[in-house]
Amino acid sequence: MGIFDFIKNMGGSPEGKIHKAAEMAKNSKAIRDDRWAAIEFLADSVDDAELAVAAMLHRFEFSLEHGINDSREKEKCMAGIIRHGDKALPLVLEHLKNTTRISWPIKILKALGRSEAHVIECLVGTLEYSDVSFDQGKTDKNYDILCHLADYKSPGLHDCVIHFLKDPDERVRFATAEVLMEQVLTESGDTLEGLMRDENPDNSRIRQTVVRKYLEQHWVVRRPELFANSQVIGPVFVSDKKVLFVNQTQSRPNT
């Protein structure tokens, strides 16, 4: 069914047509051509941003087994939402707060021409700081958002995410550490060094990753006196120049 046949067959008021198209667009069991026609109608022919954008955002809540068709429909919805410019922004932000499927809404947010600072603000605003340990969907959402935040270096971001170093989910804690490793050391250094001193076996992967980062980047250790005998972990020590080095003999040489 083409878009014009779809519109003609819907009948009813303009609002009724939009409602029918919205129901079709978000129906994963609908006939593929019918759902595509509904998406085309919403993306190209509906000028009411509040109605059209809200309807198309629901299409991101499911995925089709056929990846090409799934991407085609989502890309069309994304283009249709972007067409509304700034009018779409509050609707996208509201959707981000309520959905656990954030990948496409974040793409749209970036495509709407928001500044990097605004994107960071929006991502932080969708983090769930309450206890979500019994809600896997919200836990996964926090993890996904933190993974996106790891792409940014921004003043104050350390304070926004440090809360999640205590999350019960190791993936969330690891993603938080990755965000912190992207920030300036004047903000995150003390926290990262704390992670290098953390002997909790549940955080061993995080500890090893931070140590590796310090070795690769030759970062200066701010408080070397907190490492007993200058040993960080295994053969890794803090030198007199306050950088990490590997000593295979595990005894600290004169440096």
Side-chain angles (χ1 to χ4, degrees):
M1 181 186 296
I3 184 172
F4 296 111
D5 292 330
F6 179 80
I7 296 171
K8 181 176 67 175
N9 292 339
M10 280 195 298
S13 65
E15 292 78 9
K17 291 180 180 180
I18 295 171
H19 176 73
K20 290 178 182 178
E23 291 298 312
M24 182 71 72
K26 69 179 183 181
N27 184 358
S28 63
K29 305 298 184 183
I31 296 172
R32 184 186 66 187
D33 289 346
D34 289 351
R35 187 174 55 246
W36 174 251
I39 290 171
E40 276 195 307
F41 171 66
L42 292 168
D44 299 333
S45 303
V46 179
D47 293 326
D48 188 317
E50 187 168 348
L51 295 176
V53 171
M56 286 184 284
L57 284 169
H58 284 296
R59 175 57 188 86
F60 302 117
E61 293 299 295
F62 66 90
S63 297
L64 302 174
E65 290 185 7
H66 196 297
I68 294 177
N69 289 333
D70 188 64
S71 295
R72 177 177 179 240
E73 291 182 9
K74 288 176 178 175
E75 287 169 359
K76 184 64 175 178
C77 285
M78 178 174 170
I81 292 170
I82 293 171
R83 178 172 72 91
H84 293 280
D86 288 343
K87 292 181 180 179
L89 183 60
L91 299 165
V92 175
L93 293 180
E94 184 64 25
H95 185 76
L96 260 175
K97 292 178 182 178
N98 297 312
T99 186
T100 58
R101 293 177 176 257
I102 65 170
S103 178
W104 282 89
I106 288 176
K107 287 182 183 180
I108 294 168
L109 179 64
K110 294 178 179 179
L112 283 170
R114 300 299 95 189
S115 67
E116 183 175 292
H118 191 204
V119 172
I120 293 171
E121 178 185 351
C122 294
L123 291 175
V124 170
T126 59
L127 286 167
E128 179 59 68
Y129 287 87
S130 62
D131 182 7
V132 297
S133 56
F134 296 104
D135 190 325
Q136 192 59 49
K138 289 184 177 180
T139 297
D140 291 344
K141 180 177 179 178
N142 278 345
Y143 170 71
D144 289 341
I145 293 170
L146 288 164
C147 287
H148 281 282
L149 285 171
D151 292 335
Y152 299 100
K153 177 181 291 186
S154 176
L157 191 50
H158 167 275
D159 294 341
C160 293
V161 304
I162 191 174
H163 164 88
F164 296 98
L165 284 178
K166 297 180 181 179
D167 195 276
D169 192 293
E170 192 267 350
R171 298 173 309 138
V172 172
R173 298 196 302 276
F174 188 87
T176 303
E178 289 191 312
V179 176
L180 296 176
M181 285 187 287
E182 294 304 316
Q183 309 312 306
V184 295
L185 286 182
T186 52
E187 288 193 10
S188 64
D190 287 344
T191 302
L192 293 175
E193 290 177 28
L195 294 176
M196 289 196 291
R197 295 191 301 272
D198 186 355
E199 297 182 358
N200 185 338
D202 291 339
N203 290 329
S204 60
R205 184 168 74 112
I206 297 171
R207 186 186 190 190
Q208 292 169 12
T209 299
V210 176
V211 169
R212 188 180 304 115
K213 187 78 170 182
Y214 267 76
L215 283 167
E216 292 172 351
Q217 300 297 321
H218 306 290
W219 284 343
V220 172
V221 176
R222 293 159 62 89
R223 305 189 67 186
E225 70 277 6
L226 296 182
F227 294 92
N229 299 317
S230 297
Q231 185 177 27
V232 180
I233 182 174
V236 180
F237 290 79
V238 185
S239 76
D240 288 342
K241 295 180 180 179
K242 299 184 179 181
V243 297
L244 302 192
F245 71 99
V246 179
N247 177 19
Q248 295 298 343
T249 66
Q250 295 195 22
S251 61
R252 186 182 181 222
N254 293 325
T255 55

